[in-house]
Each structure stands twice: as structure tokens, then as C-alpha cells.
Amino acid sequence: MPKRNSDGWISSTVKILDTIYTGTKDRIRNIGKPAPSESGLLYYEQEIRKLLKDMNVSSAIRKQVMKKVHNASTVEELSRTKAILTVLNKHGLEGYAANQFFLGGHFRLEDGGELYNDLKALSGAETRFSSHFKPIRVEEKGISAGRILPEVLFLTTVEGGRTYSHFQAEASPWRQVPDGGMKNYVPELQTLQNMEHIYDSLVYFAAKKASEWRQQTVFNRSNYGWSPYADNNPITSMSSLPVPHTEPVEDLASYIDLAPESGSTAVKIDDDIDDDIDDDIDDDIDDDIDDDDEEDPNVNRLWNW
């Protein structure tokens, strides 16, 4: 008698429940925030698509981003996404470096803090804390753009008399309430996604320890995939990448079993950048929106607030 395969049924059920749960949480978080009009959404779709093309982001990542843009529920997340990408584009982020930004790569630029100051000036930038570069860190902030860019962490450090700007995209935001302490772990509108960040941090630190033990590359995680450029191997240019010792992302997944199944990997962006520039996805956006085959990195967070 053939063995019944319940994995597919269980996986589908978890995804459905997670979608309901995450959608409910987002609706609570977005109470009172204006939704985009049809014309407003079209405007932001055009502007963000243009920025992605100007930055030569790969077509695969562009499609994922534009799907989230189309599904955005507030003007705030659209305007913040546009503002963040405008600043990064102004500072020259492009090509493979831009791809790695969306995959969670950590950037460290010797620029006197100019990029940090530009990001700090954006509406929605808030003080936060992290584990990055504590001994030499001067200031640290984050900005959230909904599910499009759940969090962009940015900070400034000083080392050897030189000032650096750091930034990275993260899979979830971390917000501290003014009083701090345990209130940071109590769900409220400001800290509704903190437990997601705690979950992501546990995954990151577990993967980091396993990678260090196996003498392999440490990966960073975003809501679009994984990057081999963590803070111990940062990207130092807005247009080119260092050469890390990398392994396929599938190897990482084999021992933490949490890698997204979207097909995007941190170390093999197969698209040729020149082809991407010529690839006009305007006519494909409706297909991208209807394509539900990509794994949602928020799946399996039913126990998180």
C-alpha cells in the first residue's frame, strides 16, 4: 500500500494559516495609515521600477520587489521604499552590489559618514540597537518600509580616525520603545514585529556559529534570500564585490533547514547584468503579481508576535 504523503498538505496548511496570521498582524500595525489610491500605487510602481533599473538590479530580484510593491497596503511603505532606494542610487549602489543589498549583504563604506547622514534624514528613521561593531559604533538607526523592505539598518563607526557608513537590509524590523527594557518584548503597534526579529536573530546566530565551526562563510538573511557578505566580510564598494570563500546556499540550508525556497541564492546570481538592463519587465509585472510560487520568508512564524 503506497505511503500517504502528508508533507504537502501540512506545508499548505501552515502557509495558509501564516498568511492569515501575518495579514492580520500587518492590518493591526497599519491602523490609521492611508492606503494608496490606484493612481498613487501606479506612480510608486513606476518610480520604484525605474530606480531598480537604474541600479541594474537583477530581473529576478526586481520581480520579487515589484510584487511586494504592488501588494503594498500603505502609502508609507511605498514612499519609504522610494526614499531609501533614491538615497542608495544617489550614492552609486548598482549591479551585483545592489543585488547583495536586497539579499542582506552588509556594507561598510569609508565615506566620512555621508551615506549614514542621508539615511538618517529620511522620514521614519528611528534609533535602534544591534550587535554590529559595538566597540567602534557611534550611532545606529533603522527604517522600515513594510514588507517591501522590512528593515534597513544603518550605523556609523570610527576606526583609526576614519568614519564609516554601514547599512544592510534585514528580514524584519527591531524597534525599541522609549523606556526600553522588557517593554521591547511586549507586543504593541511600535514593537509588533520585534519577535520576528528575535526569531531571525536566533537563526542568524545559530547559522553563524555553525559556519564558524565548519570554517565556512557566514551568511546574512533578508526577506529576499541570503548573502555571504555578513559584517565579518562586508562589501566596501557600492558597485563591486569582494571575493569571499563561498559555498552554495543549499549547503547552509542542509543544517539549519530554513533557507527560502524562492530560487534566489546568495552566491549565485545567474542573471547577466547587461541582459538585465535590456530586460523590460513592464509587460511582465501582471504575471509577476500573479506568480505565487515563491516561498514567503515569513512562513513558519506562527509562534511569533
Side-chain angles (χ1 to χ4, degrees), residues 21-29 147 192 196 304-305:
Y21 166 75
T22 303
T24 302
K25 182 168 59 177
D26 286 349
R27 283 192 292 274
I28 294 172
R29 185 191 60 190
R147 294 294 176 183
L192 200 55
E196 288 185 18
N304 294 334
W305 286 94

Side-chain angles (χ1 to χ4, degrees), residues 6-304:
S6 61
D7 290 350
W9 180 84
I10 293 174
S11 176
S12 298
T13 301
V14 169
K15 289 180 182 180
I16 292 170
L17 292 174
D18 183 75
T19 299
I20 295 171
Y21 166 75
T22 303
T24 302
K25 182 168 59 177
D26 286 349
R27 283 192 292 274
I28 294 172
R29 185 191 60 190
N30 292 329
I31 289 174
K33 296 180 181 179
S37 63
E38 185 176 342
S39 60
L41 179 59
L42 179 61
Y43 163 77
Y44 281 111
E45 284 181 330
Q46 292 172 340
E47 291 296 307
I48 293 170
R49 188 183 302 119
K50 182 178 183 300
L51 283 164
L52 295 174
K53 287 185 176 181
D54 287 346
M55 296 161 68
N56 295 342
V57 175
S58 73
S59 60
I61 294 176
R62 288 205 312 263
K63 289 177 181 180
Q64 292 183 64
V65 174
M66 291 309 301
K67 180 178 179 180
K68 293 181 183 293
V69 168
H70 183 81
N71 292 330
S73 56
T74 68
V75 174
E76 178 182 272
E77 57 192 304
L78 292 166
S79 63
R80 287 184 181 181
T81 299
K82 177 178 178 291
I84 293 166
L85 295 182
T86 297
V87 169
L88 297 180
N89 187 39
K90 169 190 169 185
H91 284 264
L93 184 63
E94 65 174 352
Y96 287 109
N99 292 340
Q100 291 300 321
F101 162 70
F102 283 102
L103 294 174
H106 187 96
F107 287 74
R108 185 179 192 233
L109 309 172
E110 185 186 339
D111 65 348
E114 290 183 12
L115 175 59
Y116 175 84
N117 289 330
D118 282 350
L119 290 171
K120 177 181 176 180
L122 296 180
S123 174
E126 301 176 276
T127 299
R128 58 159 286 182
F129 60 86
S130 74
S131 61
H132 302 282
F133 295 94
K134 282 185 177 180
I136 59 175
R137 188 172 63 216
V138 177
E139 193 174 20
E140 183 173 27
K141 291 186 178 291
I143 183 170
S144 176
R147 294 294 176 183
I148 308 170
L149 288 171
E151 179 81 338
V152 176
L153 167 71
F154 53 100
L155 56 135
T156 182
T157 60
V158 174
E159 186 174 32
R162 298 176 179 178
T163 301
Y164 297 83
S165 292
H166 301 246
F167 68 98
Q168 68 179 40
E170 299 184 337
S172 54
W174 173 261
R175 285 294 169 270
Q176 58 188 99
V177 297
D179 294 335
M182 290 305 296
K183 288 187 177 180
N184 285 321
Y185 305 93
V186 178
E188 59 176 47
L189 287 181
Q190 188 182 11
T191 62
L192 200 55
Q193 287 180 267
N194 276 8
M195 293 308 293
E196 288 185 18
H197 191 89
I198 292 170
Y199 169 77
D200 290 332
S201 296
L202 290 174
V203 172
Y204 167 74
F205 286 117
K208 180 178 181 180
K209 289 299 182 183
S211 296
E212 290 173 345
W213 178 69
R214 295 175 58 164
Q215 297 183 329
Q216 293 180 324
T217 301
V218 176
F219 285 77
N220 249 8
R221 179 175 184 260
S222 80
N223 60 324
Y224 294 102
W226 296 83
S227 171
Y229 301 101
D231 61 6
N232 67 333
N233 181 37
I235 300 168
T236 57
S237 167
M238 295 291 264
S239 58
S240 61
L241 300 177
V243 181
H245 298 291
T246 62
E247 300 80 30
V249 132
E250 288 80 3
D251 187 58
L252 180 72
S254 70
Y255 61 90
I256 62 173
D257 195 27
L258 286 164
E261 297 177 3
S262 63
S264 62
T265 64
V267 295
K268 53 176 184 180
I269 301 298
D270 295 328
D271 301 347
D272 186 272
I273 290 297
D274 293 332
D275 291 341
D276 292 340
I277 297 172
D278 297 330
D279 177 24
D280 188 349
I281 66 169
D282 291 352
D283 295 334
D284 297 333
I285 191 66
D286 291 333
D287 293 336
D288 301 337
I289 294 163
D290 294 333
D291 179 15
D292 292 323
D293 292 336
E294 296 171 7
E295 182 75 16
D296 187 342
N298 293 307
V299 168
N300 298 330
R301 283 184 171 155
L302 289 171
W303 54 88
N304 294 334

